[in-house]
Amino acid sequence: MKLATFNINNINSRLENLLAWLAKAKPDVVCLQELKTRDTQFPLTRLANAGYGAAWKGEPTWNGVAILARGSEPVLTRDALPGDDADRQARYIEAAVDGVVVACLYAPNGNPRPGPKFDYKLAWHERFAAHAGELLDTGLPVVLAGDFNIVPEPRDIYATRSYDDNALVQPESRAAFAALIEQGWTDALRKVLPKQEKLYTFWDYRRNRWPRDAGLRLDHILLSKKLARKLKAAGIDREMRGGENPSDHAPVWVELG
């Protein structure tokens, strides 16, 4: 199984990019974030013509998540993160694909901080960690994939002071990611490429950051113990960031034996 995560940053505006990447990379499962579309505007027919079934949760203007499966239909198990019935933001979806529980997330950015958006980010990650622990306890093969909006370590961001006050790099944010690792999840990219310093997945559109390779690692694939034992390869399709009308993120992928 080849599984990928891709913050597409508006699926309808970048549908041609997505379809071209699907045809070239041929992932079996894809977690998408920032659909930025209503449920009724999701491009189901175009994806089906490309050979992918889909489960999705849309939201106009912001957010939105989806799980694609090549040659099959994902079996939806959840389309909201538990723990807060008042939270209506489309940031989490979960489905079974070929015997694997796939959890796709688009975590809150948290800026500006301090303030309610940062508080929401930390509370959301607390809920996510609680649910992730429950998934891990099932003993099933589970993957957590998406835009976590956390830079786990200092080496996961280019040399700069401009992000010092940013929610993405704060100790509280990094502690939330570390807590998942402590639960027993495996950070697939770092497992396969432990010594590679630059594993960037996001380059802001502003200030010439892509040409300067001024990136951050925000997109992660975490594997349960059963899947971690099957991990064969992992990587980042950086070239997608340099194409025409690109997302500001690049796809991250793993191959499982």
Side-chain angles (χ1 to χ4, degrees), residues 2 5 7 9-10 13 19 41 79 98 113 125 144 174 247:
K2 183 177 184 180
T5 182
N7 182 323
N9 193 7
N10 195 317
S13 294
L19 292 172
Q41 296 172 322
D79 66 0
D98 196 21
R113 60 161 289 276
H125 273 289
L144 313 177
R174 286 177 167 164
S247 169

Side-chain angles (χ1 to χ4, degrees), residues 42-103:
F42 185 81
L44 181 62
T45 300
R46 294 288 304 278
L47 290 168
N49 290 340
Y52 285 84
W56 69 96
K57 179 74 169 181
E59 183 178 335
T61 309
W62 309 107
N63 307 324
V65 284
I67 297 171
L68 310 183
R70 186 157 65 106
S72 66
E73 294 293 332
V75 179
L76 181 67
T77 56
R78 182 179 292 278
D79 66 0
L81 187 66
D84 184 358
D85 292 340
D87 187 356
R88 301 299 183 187
Q89 296 190 30
R91 294 187 175 276
Y92 184 85
I93 193 169
E94 184 180 299
V97 182
D98 196 21
V100 175
V101 178
V102 180

Side-chain angles (χ1 to χ4, degrees), residues 12-162:
N12 287 312
S13 294
R14 295 187 171 85
L15 183 56
E16 300 307 321
N17 304 47
L18 175 61
L19 292 172
W21 172 73
L22 290 173
K24 180 180 179 181
K26 293 180 171 58
D28 298 295
V29 182
V30 184
C31 295
L32 296 174
Q33 301 86 39
E34 284 203 89
L35 304 180
K36 296 183 177 179
T37 186
R38 299 178 186 276
D39 282 337
T40 55
Q41 296 172 322
F42 185 81
L44 181 62
T45 300
R46 294 288 304 278
L47 290 168
N49 290 340
Y52 285 84
W56 69 96
K57 179 74 169 181
E59 183 178 335
T61 309
W62 309 107
N63 307 324
V65 284
I67 297 171
L68 310 183
R70 186 157 65 106
S72 66
E73 294 293 332
V75 179
L76 181 67
T77 56
R78 182 179 292 278
D79 66 0
L81 187 66
D84 184 358
D85 292 340
D87 187 356
R88 301 299 183 187
Q89 296 190 30
R91 294 187 175 276
Y92 184 85
I93 193 169
E94 184 180 299
V97 182
D98 196 21
V100 175
V101 178
V102 180
C104 171
L105 64 139
Y106 175 52
N109 177 282
N111 286 302
R113 60 161 289 276
K117 290 189 176 182
F118 189 59
D119 294 341
Y120 172 63
K121 177 189 184 76
L122 298 182
W124 194 94
H125 273 289
E126 282 188 16
R127 290 162 51 207
F128 179 63
H131 185 57
E134 293 174 353
L135 290 174
L136 202 59
D137 288 344
T138 66
L140 296 170
V142 185
V143 58
L144 313 177
D147 181 352
F148 286 60
N149 264 318
I150 295 174
V151 177
E153 305 175 70
R155 63 175 171 166
D156 292 321
I157 183 172
Y158 72 103
T160 181
R161 298 298 304 274
S162 63

Side-chain angles (χ1 to χ4, degrees), residues 180-232:
L180 293 169
I181 304 303
E182 290 171 8
Q183 278 186 355
W185 299 94
T186 294
D187 180 348
L189 267 180
R190 280 295 175 207
K191 180 69 174 180
V192 173
L193 302 166
K195 296 182 180 180
Q196 187 167 328
E197 291 297 310
K198 293 184 178 181
L199 288 176
Y200 303 151
T201 68
F202 166 84
W203 299 260
D204 197 293
Y205 293 123
R206 297 167 294 181
R207 299 180 184 176
N208 215 32
R209 286 191 172 103
W210 167 246
R212 294 193 292 121
D213 197 22
L216 294 74
R217 187 165 79 105
L218 299 178
D219 306 88
H220 311 295
I221 298 177
L222 303 187
L223 305 175
S224 66
K225 293 176 182 178
K226 281 188 176 180
L227 291 184
R229 289 194 291 266
K230 298 181 178 182
L231 179 60
K232 301 298 183 184

